[in-house]
């Protein structure tokens, strides 16, 4: 069964600190992995998208890693800001029925406190 | 312009009402999607349109009826909904349905409450 698991479920950090969110997946056949940021009551916004051949991808203070062998990904946030408070969703794309279906993780809810 | 717009932002409807959700994109994308998201849960795929034709229906009840009038517009017609249908409804679009590296752009969502 295709699954995407994220940890931790929630996280509280102080402004300016770094944090790392984890994503493990059992998805086959794998197409790509992306991280989305979702503010409460809003649509997800893409942070990074990586294919199996990419190990690291950065977008400003966000750096995603992918280990296709162990089927693990992480999202590292550097020098957190209050505006980073949101849910971070790991999404793996699987080839299914002739198209790329997105398998969503449950997300990590990050709260950045002053 | 990488924006997907959705209207209305909020909708409250009774179980006997008929209403519609609207989604629009002008990125030239040929695939459009409807998702349903309950609180603190990930989005669940409902429908996929590819080149204005319905290609995926994830066993969604018939009280939800999608429509794609043209390549830029996607509607979701609602009729005889149940309170458990209350959720955030997200629209998304992508270049097409099948490219491996495609990016899905999400709209801000419509917060639906069924009373």
């Amino acid at each position: 069964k295709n699954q995407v698991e994220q940890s931790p479920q929630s996280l509280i950090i102080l402004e300016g600190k770094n944090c790392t969110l984890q994503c493990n997946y059992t998805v086959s056949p794998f197409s790509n992995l992306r991280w989305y940021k979702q503010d409460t009551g809003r649509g997800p916004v893409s942070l990074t998208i990586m294919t199996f051949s990419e190990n690291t991808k950065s977008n400003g203070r966000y750096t995603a890693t992918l280990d296709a062998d162990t089927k693990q990904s992480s999202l590292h946030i550097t020098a957190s800001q209050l505006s980073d408070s949101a849910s971070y969703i790991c999404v793996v794309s699987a080839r299914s029925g002739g198209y790329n279906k997105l398998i969503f993780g449950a997300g990590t809810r990050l709260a950045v406190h002053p | 312009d990488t924006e997907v717009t959705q209207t209305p932002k909020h909708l409250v409807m009774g179980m006997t009402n008929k209403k519609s959700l609207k989604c629009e994109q002008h990125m030239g994308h040929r695939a459009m999607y409807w998702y349903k998201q309950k609180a603190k849960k990930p989005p669940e795929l409902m429908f996929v349109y590819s080149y204005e034709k319905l290609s995926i229906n994830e066993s969604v009840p018939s009280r939800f009826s999608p429509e794609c009038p043209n390549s830029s517009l996607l509607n979701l017609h609602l009729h005889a909904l149940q309170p458990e249908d209350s959720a955030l409804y997200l629209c998304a679009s992508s270049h097409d349905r099948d490219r491996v590296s495609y990016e899905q752009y999400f709209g801000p969502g419509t917060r639906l409450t069924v009373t």
Side-chain angles (χ1 to χ4, degrees):
Chain A
K1 181 182 177 182
N2 288 329
Q3 277 189 316
V4 176
E5 295 182 348
Q6 293 187 242
S7 62
Q9 280 189 327
S10 60
L11 182 62
I12 300 173
I13 62 173
L14 293 177
E15 187 179 11
K17 298 296 186 183
N18 304 335
C19 67
T20 300
L21 314 181
Q22 301 291 342
C23 173
N24 297 333
Y25 62 92
T26 53
V27 174
S28 181
F30 174 90
S31 287
N32 54 57
L33 183 146
R34 69 276 309 274
W35 284 91
Y36 282 94
K37 176 186 178 186
Q38 185 174 24
D39 293 312
T40 302
R42 306 287 293 179
V45 175
S46 178
L47 296 175
T48 65
I49 179 170
M50 292 187 291
T51 62
F52 74 95
S53 61
E54 295 176 292
N55 299 120
T56 303
K57 204 158 202 180
S58 292
N59 177 1
R61 295 181 295 103
Y62 302 102
T63 298
T65 65
L66 174 63
D67 186 333
D69 292 330
T70 61
K71 299 186 177 182
Q72 295 180 325
S73 176
S74 66
L75 180 69
H76 186 76
I77 304 175
T78 304
S80 60
Q81 299 176 359
L82 298 179
S83 58
D84 292 331
S85 297
S87 284
Y88 292 83
I89 307 174
C90 176
V91 184
V92 180
S93 178
R95 195 76 183 167
S96 173
Y99 84 107
N100 291 300
K101 181 175 183 176
L102 299 187
I103 313 296
F104 288 80
T108 292
R109 286 186 296 283
L110 174 67
V112 180
H113 290 181
Chain B
D1 181 10
T2 58
E3 189 178 23
V4 176
T5 59
Q6 290 187 243
T7 55
K9 288 185 179 180
H10 302 277
L11 178 62
V12 179
M13 60 184 291
M15 290 188 284
T16 59
N17 291 159
K18 285 185 180 180
K19 296 286 184 182
S20 296
L21 309 184
K22 297 186 183 301
C23 173
E24 192 167 0
Q25 56 87 15
H26 295 287
M27 295 178 276
H29 289 172
R30 304 313 299 269
M32 296 186 76
Y33 312 77
W34 280 116
Y35 289 86
K36 173 184 177 180
Q37 187 177 24
K38 302 285 277 186
K40 299 185 180 180
K41 297 289 187 182
E44 297 175 3
L45 183 66
M46 300 174 71
F47 302 104
V48 180
Y49 270 82
S50 179
Y51 291 84
E52 295 139 61
K53 287 183 168 38
L54 182 64
S55 63
I56 304 288
N57 177 343
E58 292 283 351
S59 303
V60 179
S62 60
R63 57 186 184 269
F64 295 91
S65 175
E67 178 196 20
C68 190
N70 60 56
S71 60
S72 300
L73 294 174
L74 185 66
N75 298 323
L76 185 63
H77 303 297
L78 314 172
H79 175 55
L81 294 193
Q82 304 297 310
E84 59 264 28
D85 295 321
S86 299
L88 182 69
Y89 287 83
L90 295 166
C91 173
S93 72
S94 65
H95 183 274
D96 64 42
R97 193 193 68 169
D98 298 327
R99 277 181 63 186
V100 171
S101 60
Y102 79 138
E103 181 63 83
Q104 272 195 26
Y105 294 90
F106 285 84
T110 292
R111 172 68 62 190
L112 174 67
T113 303
V114 182
T115 60

